Amino acid sequence: MTENALIEAARVSKAWPFREAQKLLKRYPQGKPGGAPVLFETGYGPSGLPHIGTFQEVLRTTLVRRAYEALTGGAPTRLVAFSDDMDGLRKVPDNIPNAELLSANLGKPLSRIPDPFGTHESFAHHNNAMLREFLDRFGFEYEFVSASDRYNSGGFDAALTRVLECNQAILDVMLPTLREERRKTYSPVLPVSPTSGVVLQVPVEVLDPATGMIRFTDEDGTVIEQTAFGGMSKLQWKVDWAMRWYALGVDYEMCGKDLTDSVTQSGKIVQVLGGRRPEGLIYELFLDENGEKISKSKGNGLTIEQWLTYGTEESLGFYLFREPKSAKQLHVGVIPKAVDEYWQFHGNLAGQALDKQLGNPVWHLLRANGGDAGAGDTVPVTFSLLLNLIGVLGADATAEQVWSYLGNYVADASPEAHPALADMVRAALATNRDFIAPTLQRRAPTPSEAKALKDLDNQLATLAADPTAEELQNIVYEIGKNEAYGFETLRDWFKALYETLLGSPQGPRMGSFIALYGVPETRKLIAEALES
């Protein structure tokens, strides 16, 4: 594949990362002026523990970044992961220890509240560290920027000056969008009280934009004159977002559907400041298993650690790639399918034409952190098949047991020879222990099902050593099609096998399962079912 071929294919690709990257090509047909890098930004509010909803924004933005680089033959780019840690804490998250410590500091900037975990300088520093730890683990290339650092150091003073100069014009944008009661207290600038340290929602009079001097009434009724610079204020959310775009020169930022109005108003404000609204994608929000929006404060979404306990890094990236404009549920039940689909797409990659490769999620995921398109290899056993095997072995199954059975099915079955499969075994053991084993319950076969099971046992007994999965599957098929056993469809036969042998309403391709589990062991399962 030549670079020119890739560029030409990328310019017409309908894969969503390329469609987003094409917006940037229209923004800068000749590249960004002066050869400056195109700046991508992701935003994060560290008011609660990071979850997949925060991580996905960095991944998806990186996918667009890499697509833009491919589209332009390697134009320079930067990615800034921005933490809004000057924001005042509005409520105490439900999933945080030492809640009374946070309650005593409500309203203060997140970076000036003690860490309830006792491990970092502040609550924001703790949550920022968690986010960075995972981004580093995944290999993202990014620059971390803290709002507190920029406000406190004076790094935003020039942009704050511009906001103060445009104070009335910004009010003209925002006030028509607010309820009458809110208009009375709204100010683009939120001063930090010199007495309590709380971020105040009070009217502010701008005295001198050049020095940042503002006037407001403190919580105790005292009229205060102080500078807005040096961390003595922050901006209202929509103004803050626009100021950040202006100060950093952001060219691309995506966000969730819940921020649609913010994008509109912040886009108007950044124009008032003299900047330009970035390009971006508005994506649908993740839902929990009950169809409710996931929330950092409720803690009802999966954490990154939970996904990686019951799934793999590759499956996480795959799930986040798919259909960003469609709402998707985010719970443990979606992980097995994501693991298997990732490897299906991975296996297809090498044999695909270039235009098909650019539409393959794995092509994008492999390139996200500087890799290439990969060799199109796959794993020898599906995750769903592993789950069925381990389900039969029980809640106390061990990795050693699993690898012993994998020896029936996989050449050179060892974690060292198959690292990707080893990761799947680890995740499958955890999933079985915590979610599957407690629910499995084998039922007794009906009389007709018992006859079919006896037939299966008799045929398995006559097989030569090491039958193939296909040979075993054909035996299962033929028994199911035998009218003497009364199955209306093959589906009824398979369901009977799953429920009587595996204790589950769903299951794997039985030929593959028998080959993996072993013919003698499968005959023992049949004997146990017939005795029940």
Side-chain angles (χ1 to χ4, degrees):
M1 177 181 64
T2 66
E3 183 175 89
N4 287 339
L6 175 58
I7 292 172
E8 290 303 314
R11 292 192 174 192
V12 296
S13 175
K14 294 182 179 180
W16 72 260
F18 281 117
R19 301 190 88 159
E20 291 301 298
Q22 289 156 12
K23 297 178 184 176
L24 289 165
L25 191 62
K26 291 180 180 178
R27 185 182 182 97
Y28 298 120
Q30 306 303 320
K32 198 167 182 179
V38 168
L39 183 63
F40 294 80
E41 181 182 61
T42 63
Y44 166 62
S47 58
L49 301 180
H51 56 63
I52 293 173
T54 56
F55 165 71
Q56 62 86 17
E57 209 165 288
V58 181
L59 173 65
R60 286 175 172 170
T61 303
T62 296
L63 297 176
V64 178
R65 179 188 185 187
R66 299 307 181 208
Y68 175 74
E69 291 168 348
L71 189 64
T72 58
T77 63
R78 293 170 56 207
L79 171 61
V80 166
F82 190 93
S83 173
D84 189 16
D85 53 11
M86 268 294 285
D87 198 20
L89 180 65
R90 297 176 181 84
K91 61 179 293 188
V92 178
D94 297 336
N95 57 346
I96 299 296
N98 300 318
E100 66 281 355
L101 183 63
L102 296 184
S103 296
N105 287 277
L106 282 174
K108 294 181 181 178
L110 296 164
S111 58
R112 300 176 189 177
I113 295 173
D115 177 18
F117 297 90
T119 57
H120 290 76
E121 178 182 339
S122 73
F123 185 38
H125 283 80
H126 175 274
N127 293 337
N128 287 342
M130 288 189 63
L131 179 70
R132 295 177 69 178
E133 179 182 348
F134 188 79
L135 297 183
D136 291 342
R137 172 181 176 179
F138 214 89
F140 286 114
E141 179 191 337
Y142 68 98
E143 303 164 38
F144 182 79
V145 177
S146 158
S148 290
D149 289 346
R150 290 299 176 102
Y151 273 105
N152 294 339
S153 69
F156 277 158
D157 284 358
L160 283 173
T161 297
R162 185 63 184 146
V163 169
L164 296 176
E165 290 172 345
C166 300
N167 187 66
Q168 186 56 53
I170 293 171
L171 287 171
D172 291 343
V173 170
M174 289 303 304
L175 292 182
T177 69
L178 304 174
R179 297 188 303 272
E180 183 175 355
E181 189 65 27
R182 182 72 180 94
R183 294 177 193 172
K184 297 176 182 178
T185 60
Y186 182 86
S187 168
V189 181
L190 303 177
V192 176
S193 168
T195 54
S196 69
V198 168
V199 179
L200 302 176
Q201 296 269 359
V202 294
V204 170
E205 180 183 356
V206 177
L207 301 179
D208 183 7
T211 62
M213 291 303 295
I214 57 176
R215 180 188 291 135
F216 60 92
T217 301
D218 204 354
E219 294 167 298
D220 61 2
T222 303
V223 176
I224 301 292
E225 291 186 6
Q226 71 179 29
T227 181
F229 297 159
M232 295 305 296
S233 75
K234 80 172 299 287
L235 300 178
Q236 289 276 7
W237 154 239
K238 293 173 185 177
V239 185
D240 190 274
W241 205 11
M243 181 275 291
R244 187 195 313 166
W245 292 341
Y246 171 77
L248 301 180
V250 176
D251 296 303
Y252 187 91
E253 182 164 6
M254 62 175 63
C255 67
K257 185 178 179 180
D258 56 336
L259 295 182
T260 300
D261 180 65
S262 295
V263 170
T264 300
Q265 306 310 325
S266 296
K268 294 177 180 178
I269 293 169
V270 73
Q271 288 182 308
V272 167
L273 298 178
R276 185 179 180 185
R277 171 179 162 175
E279 309 299 330
L281 167 73
I282 296 178
Y283 56 79
E284 271 288 353
L285 304 177
F286 289 116
L287 308 174
D288 65 13
E289 58 190 329
N290 297 317
E292 297 180 358
K293 175 187 170 184
I294 62 172
S295 163
K296 291 192 294 289
S297 60
K298 290 182 180 179
N300 61 328
L302 279 181
T303 65
I304 294 167
E305 291 75 16
Q306 285 173 321
W307 186 291
L308 295 183
T309 297
Y310 305 114
T312 62
E313 288 187 1
E314 297 89 354
S315 65
L316 173 57
F318 180 85
Y319 192 74
L320 298 179
F321 180 94
R322 305 297 298 276
E323 301 170 341
K325 291 188 176 182
S326 297
K328 294 196 290 290
Q329 290 188 319
L330 193 59
H331 54 83
V332 171
V334 306
I335 296 177
K337 183 179 180 182
V339 175
D340 281 338
E341 287 190 342
Y342 171 83
W343 285 108
Q344 289 171 10
F345 277 87
H346 199 295
N348 293 337
L349 187 61
Q352 292 178 319
L354 179 57
D355 61 330
K356 298 297 183 183
Q357 286 189 346
L358 300 192
N360 187 323
V362 175
W363 187 93
H364 295 268
L365 294 168
L366 290 174
R367 292 174 63 95
N369 300 316
D372 56 29
D377 56 327
T378 186
V379 288
V381 177
T382 66
F383 193 63
S384 58
L385 187 55
L386 276 178
L387 288 174
N388 287 119
L389 168 65
I390 296 171
V392 173
L393 298 179
D396 298 324
T398 65
E400 290 73 18
Q401 286 178 298
V402 177
W403 282 104
S404 175
Y405 281 100
L406 286 170
N408 297 327
Y409 199 78
V410 179
D412 193 14
S414 69
E416 295 75 21
H418 300 278
L421 183 56
D423 199 27
M424 290 168 57
V425 169
R426 172 203 54 76
L429 285 166
T431 302
N432 179 70
R433 179 193 65 230
D434 295 342
F435 296 100
I436 296 177
T439 67
L440 294 180
Q441 186 172 2
R442 300 177 197 171
R443 66 168 176 83
T446 65
S448 59
E449 290 170 349
K451 292 178 182 178
L453 286 170
K454 288 177 183 177
D455 188 357
L456 177 58
D457 180 63
N458 290 335
Q459 294 198 47
L460 292 178
T462 64
L463 288 174
D466 299 325
T468 66
E470 196 62 35
E471 290 170 340
L472 294 166
Q473 186 70 12
N474 288 337
I475 291 172
V476 174
Y477 266 127
E478 292 305 317
I479 292 173
K481 291 190 292 185
N482 190 329
E483 295 180 357
Y485 301 128
F487 297 113
E488 291 189 9
T489 65
L490 279 171
R491 183 186 298 272
D492 294 332
W493 168 226
F494 294 139
K495 190 170 186 291
L497 288 169
Y498 302 149
E499 292 177 350
T500 61
L501 302 185
L502 306 181
S504 172
Q506 299 177 351
R509 197 168 186 266
M510 285 305 297
S512 299
F513 174 79
I514 297 170
L516 174 61
Y517 191 50
V519 170
E521 290 77 8
T522 301
R523 293 190 64 203
K524 290 178 184 178
L525 284 180
I526 295 173
E528 291 171 2
L530 294 175
E531 291 172 2
S532 62

